[in-house]
Amino acid sequence: MGEGTAVPGKRSRWGALTQRDFRLLWIGETASGLGNGITTIALPLVAVLALRARPLEVGLLAAAVWLPWLLVGLPAGAWVDRLPKRRVMIVCNLVSAAMYVSVPIAGWLEWLTITHLFVTALACGTSAVFFNTACHAYVPTVLPREDLADGNAKLQVSEAGTRVLGRSVAGFVAEVLGVTVGLLLDTLTFLLSTVCLLGIRTPEERPPRETRAAKHLVGEIAVGLRFLRRDPYLRPIVIYGATLNFLLMGYQAVQVIFLVRTIDVSTGAVGLLVMCASLGGTLGALMATRLCRGLGTGRAMVLTQTLACPFALLLPLTTPRVGLLLFGTGAFLLGVGVAVGNVVVGTFRQSYCPTYLLGRVSSAAMATNQGAIAVGSALGGVLGSVIGIRPTMWVMTVPLAFTWLLLVFSPVAKTRELPTAQARDLCTEGECRIGDRDRCPVRRSVDAGRDPLCRGG
């Protein structure tokens, strides 16, 4: 039994945190989340205040962080399925640490340029693609199936909570010590995450021989895409997530400029306002497990998105002084909905997809979602330069308020509990383990594009 395996029959109020290897993974992710929270504010502040970047440049900089999902998101899943996932995460941490520390060094030497920021964003974005894909596929290694929901909820809580702290720290550090210093703190968090990963002892399960073989990469990617495209639950969830991310990042690409130049908010207050979304995310992640137990995963997903999305309309209504409450309230309630959705979707995907496909299916889903972030960020920057900042906020938040309809009219809304699909493990990449492909109920359902859950035989 590995270090991360739960002892049957023994449950604790601490849940997944009672398991040593998950604690190390959680601490490392918490440290990394703190750094990401700092970067969210520090990088655009460097562009806006140190380099006097224009709205288009700020939007493109935000897009550059997510662009690698479009470029390498799909092959990343196939590569991660072939490689030791913990080793992938460690290498990604070290690359990100090196790139982020280069920004303050260049600033002190007066060599910093907007090109340097773009290169940093692209390199760290590429590392994030591999790290996040590997991490999502690695969680089931250190946790049993019954603890996945609790583990994902705790990871989501720590991510949202550290973003709260990180964003406020970034604003404070920028005001007191300078806008580039916050990225030094980011570097330290990646190093701490690396130390934690090195301490994990649970051995990784080796992939089946057929997936370890030197196959054509395009064919392996196609398997994950086909699995995603034909599934009646994963498909609408991915469409919803991509649409939501596109619109969220469309306004977030210009929100710093909106607050600093349109509303005339100080740099310290910017961090406090933007972190309202993370405060909401913390609450949403804390609520997620209880909501799923009380309502069911399907109903909890649909209900929270239906209630949260309309509050996006408060953001472009923001005005100085008391009117800042509109921004804080809208960001907070959107954060609640996004966090609950992340916990539900992450746990569903980990328990629903067979282990040998999890990296590819996860990367296909995340490449779609994160690619939408890159496009939305770029569009936000373009619109900010063409039609103005506040009109851009309206263009992005009005459709965002109605995205919940994509879930309401999908199979997700018709089921109380999203399924777990252990029966999928009967088939692997077109090879039927039953021995008769034509008679296999799982394979026939997949080929027909129906729900592939096997009820017998």
Side-chain angles (χ1 to χ4, degrees):
M1 180 180 295
E3 293 285 342
T5 305
V7 179
K10 293 187 178 181
R11 308 295 294 173
S12 165
R13 65 189 181 94
W14 296 104
L17 289 178
T18 59
Q19 301 173 54
R20 175 190 176 277
D21 282 355
F22 178 76
R23 283 200 306 274
L24 287 172
L25 181 64
W26 176 76
I27 292 171
E29 284 295 281
T30 300
S32 181
L34 176 62
N36 288 334
I38 293 172
T39 303
T40 300
I41 298 299
L43 206 59
L45 280 178
V46 170
V48 172
L49 299 178
L51 299 176
R52 304 295 178 187
R54 295 168 295 176
L56 177 60
E57 291 173 323
V58 176
L60 292 177
L61 181 62
V65 176
W66 305 102
L67 181 62
W69 283 101
L70 288 175
L71 302 179
V72 298
L74 292 176
W79 285 323
V80 164
D81 277 340
R82 297 176 174 184
L83 300 170
K85 297 171 182 60
R86 185 175 63 137
R87 190 179 304 169
V88 171
M89 291 188 284
I90 290 171
V91 171
C92 291
N93 273 341
L94 295 177
V95 170
S96 295
M99 293 306 302
Y100 281 129
V101 79
S102 72
V103 175
I105 292 174
W108 294 332
L109 296 174
E110 298 185 352
W111 292 345
L112 186 62
T113 63
I114 193 69
T115 301
H116 189 142
L117 294 186
F118 275 110
V119 171
T120 299
L122 286 169
C124 294
T126 302
S127 293
V129 170
F130 285 90
F131 184 95
N132 290 337
T133 301
C135 185
H136 188 81
Y138 189 63
V139 172
T141 297
V142 296
L143 283 179
R145 184 184 295 268
E146 61 269 18
D147 284 332
L148 285 177
D150 182 62
N152 282 314
K154 285 180 168 56
L155 288 171
Q156 190 68 30
V157 167
S158 65
E159 179 183 352
T162 52
R163 282 183 179 176
V164 172
L165 179 60
R167 290 173 178 183
S168 59
V169 166
F172 175 78
V173 170
E175 198 156 343
V176 176
L177 301 177
V179 291
T180 61
V181 176
L183 295 177
L184 283 178
L185 300 178
D186 201 357
T187 300
L188 295 177
T189 64
F190 282 108
L191 295 178
L192 175 57
S193 176
T194 299
V195 171
C196 291
L197 288 171
L198 288 170
I200 294 176
R201 299 173 184 169
T202 303
E204 290 187 47
E205 179 183 350
R206 292 175 65 83
R209 180 175 301 175
E210 60 267 21
T211 61
R212 293 200 309 269
K215 295 182 177 181
H216 196 281
L217 186 64
V218 174
E220 294 189 14
I221 294 170
V223 171
L225 288 172
R226 187 162 55 249
F227 189 102
L228 192 65
R229 178 176 58 84
R230 292 178 175 178
D231 191 88
Y233 299 102
L234 288 171
R235 185 178 61 251
I237 286 175
V238 169
I239 292 172
Y240 170 75
T243 304
L244 185 70
N245 285 342
F246 172 80
L247 297 169
L248 282 171
M249 289 307 299
Y251 86 77
Q252 288 181 14
V254 297
Q255 70 179 355
V256 171
I257 295 181
F258 176 66
L259 292 172
V260 171
R261 296 181 183 173
T262 303
I263 310 299
D264 196 24
V265 176
S266 68
T267 55
V270 168
L272 293 175
L273 286 169
V274 174
M275 81 176 186
C276 287
S278 295
L279 284 170
T282 303
L283 177 62
L286 288 170
M287 294 167 50
T289 302
R290 183 169 296 180
L291 284 173
C292 290
R293 288 173 182 167
L295 301 174
T297 52
R299 291 179 183 174
M301 175 79 174
V302 174
L303 179 63
T304 53
Q305 307 313 296
T306 302
L307 294 177
C309 288
F311 284 95
L313 296 174
L314 295 180
L315 300 172
L317 293 172
T318 302
T319 58
R321 301 181 182 88
V322 178
L324 296 177
L325 291 174
L326 295 172
F327 190 96
T329 302
F332 177 84
L333 293 173
L334 279 173
V336 172
V338 169
V340 173
N342 285 344
V343 172
V344 173
V345 172
T347 303
F348 169 59
R349 197 159 53 213
Q350 288 165 348
S351 60
Y352 189 67
C353 301
T355 302
Y356 53 81
L357 278 177
L358 185 54
R360 277 166 284 179
V361 173
S362 297
S363 69
M366 288 191 287
T368 304
N369 289 335
Q370 314 296 43
I373 289 178
V375 177
S377 298
L379 181 60
V382 171
L383 290 177
S385 296
V386 174
I387 66 175
I389 303 302
R390 195 184 293 270
T392 299
M393 296 288 288
W394 279 113
V395 167
M396 292 298 175
T397 55
V398 169
L400 174 57
F402 298 97
T403 51
W404 53 274
L405 292 170
L406 294 172
L407 289 177
V408 168
F409 294 106
S410 76
V412 177
K414 297 178 176 64
T415 179
R416 184 181 189 277
E417 292 285 351
L418 294 171
T420 57
Q422 298 177 8
R424 282 188 182 276
D425 287 329
L426 291 171
C427 298
T428 174
E429 304 187 16
E431 297 298 327
C432 183
R433 293 180 179 177
I434 289 178
D436 188 342
R437 177 185 174 91
D438 294 331
R439 297 179 61 187
C440 173
V442 179
R443 177 55 54 187
R444 289 204 311 269
S445 294
V446 170
D447 290 341
R450 298 191 301 268
D451 185 350
L453 296 183
C454 183
R455 304 301 184 193

